[in-house]
Amino acid sequence: MKTEIAKLLEERHLPEILKMKDGSEVTRENFPERRREMLDILAEYEYGTMPSPIGETTWKEETKFEVCCGKASESRISITFPTPDGESFTFPVNLIVPKTATAENKLPAVVYLAFENKYYYPIEEVIDSGVIVAEVQYQQVSLDAAGTFDKLMDSHYFENGKRNGGDFGKIGMWAYAASRTLDFLLTLDYVDKSRVGVMGPSRLGKTALWAGANDERFTYIFSNDAGCSGDAIERGKIGERFPRIFTVLGYWFCENMKSVSESTDDAEKMPFDQHFLLACCAPRKLQPAPYITAASLDEWADPTSQYLSCAAASPAWELFGGKGFVHPDRLPKAGDRFPEGDLGFHLREGTHWLSRHDWMGFIDFLKK
């Protein structure tokens, strides 16, 4: 007898993550090949191709001072990386380091992709939890607006601000900056390199997932209210859908996304769905663990489709003997939290927002 969740997933008619493009079955041995297939599909039809680094990332500390009554230091770091036009691009990172971090007492770290809004950041509680945060203000990397592919990081990748169909969009650029921030963090002797995460809310939750899927060095991927084109299955989704998000915010994605966003009626014809993105975070040398947060009143993101995406991606971990997504055989209720498996999930009360509750859920999962 099929379980309730299995029946709901069957109704979505999702493409299989454990079947190769040629129809053959996926095994532990060939899963890396399948992961590469899924990443290539997501790059071709949704996010665009992520460029490979072409040189060494460098960094410089500009300022440093104490914060939170001396419990931590805050530094302004300039991170620089070479670009294809023969030049380089520099962006700032705010680094918060608890005073307890030493070479003998290494602490976990998180690359936090942030809006310009300190309400998203319960800084003192994060410090007290013993977590290092490297905060990237996303619009200091690439502007969140159409027609700006000739500015900031964009100007080094697109001649006259013009993109081709498979070139990466803004999500790809923000994700690339997250990986360059990781380059920097991995040089610090007080960072626990086995516990380094990337996180973000809303459009930056989509970015965190794409960064973590592409960069195997991230061991935790924290996504808050990422919804459409992020952590929510598109087939059968309510609220925001591909056609609307591409029409209004197509510059986040590659131009090729138009081919899969012209009609919601064609969703079942897409060669992928968003559980591919979660499955690309499955076991590798250091096993990353996604933790997805949803809000009960955030129908635009659709918590049900976020939850089902976790369930649909679970076999990628189960293939390796992991727990996968541990959850009851029902849809979630506000207040539910399921951190026991390789994928974590919680559904809190409220609207679309990165709350203190979400931060603490991320940190508890990271330290579990």
Side-chain angles (χ1 to χ4, degrees), residues 300-315:
W300 202 236
D302 187 3
T304 293
S305 291
Q306 292 175 275
Y307 182 80
L308 290 177
S309 188
C310 292
S314 182

Side-chain angles (χ1 to χ4, degrees), residues 62-84:
E62 305 289 352
T63 60
K64 185 176 181 178
F65 49 91
E66 290 189 344
V67 293
C68 294
C69 303
K71 291 193 288 188
S73 65
E74 179 170 351
S75 301
R76 177 83 163 189
I77 308 294
S78 293
I79 293 181
T80 301
F81 59 86
T83 54

Side-chain angles (χ1 to χ4, degrees), residues 211-282:
N214 279 278
D215 195 330
E216 300 184 42
R217 300 172 302 168
F218 282 117
T219 48
Y220 291 88
I221 301 141
F222 302 132
S223 171
N224 165 255
D225 296 343
C228 178
S229 70
D231 54 21
I233 291 170
E234 173 68 7
R235 288 165 169 82
K237 187 182 182 300
I238 63 171
E240 190 172 37
R241 300 291 301 275
F242 275 19
R244 191 268 179 192
I245 201 170
F246 183 77
T247 299
V248 178
L249 299 163
Y251 58 89
W252 288 356
F253 310 97
C254 67
E255 294 290 345
N256 288 345
M257 189 179 176
K258 182 178 181 181
S259 67
V260 296
S261 66
E262 292 177 339
S263 170
T264 54
D265 295 335
D266 291 336
E268 290 187 15
K269 298 179 182 178
M270 297 191 316
F272 70 97
D273 212 312
Q274 294 309 119
H275 64 311
F276 275 31
L277 182 57
L278 299 188
C280 284
C281 302

Side-chain angles (χ1 to χ4, degrees), residues 82-103:
T83 54
D85 59 359
E87 299 184 9
S88 62
F89 177 69
T90 299
F91 65 97
V93 169
N94 292 323
L95 180 70
I96 307 290
V97 182
K99 285 294 181 67
T100 54
T102 66

Side-chain angles (χ1 to χ4, degrees), residues 329-366:
D329 186 28
R330 60 169 174 80
L331 292 177
K333 300 175 293 187
D336 278 345
R337 183 167 174 262
F338 307 121
E340 294 82 11
D342 302 302
L343 297 86
F345 177 92
H346 75 229
L347 177 62
R348 61 161 171 80
E349 293 275 6
T351 57
H352 189 84
W353 183 257
L354 175 56
S355 71
R356 173 193 172 279
H357 183 84
D358 298 317
W359 269 96
M360 294 301 103
F362 291 151
I363 289 171
D364 287 346
F365 191 69
L366 184 151

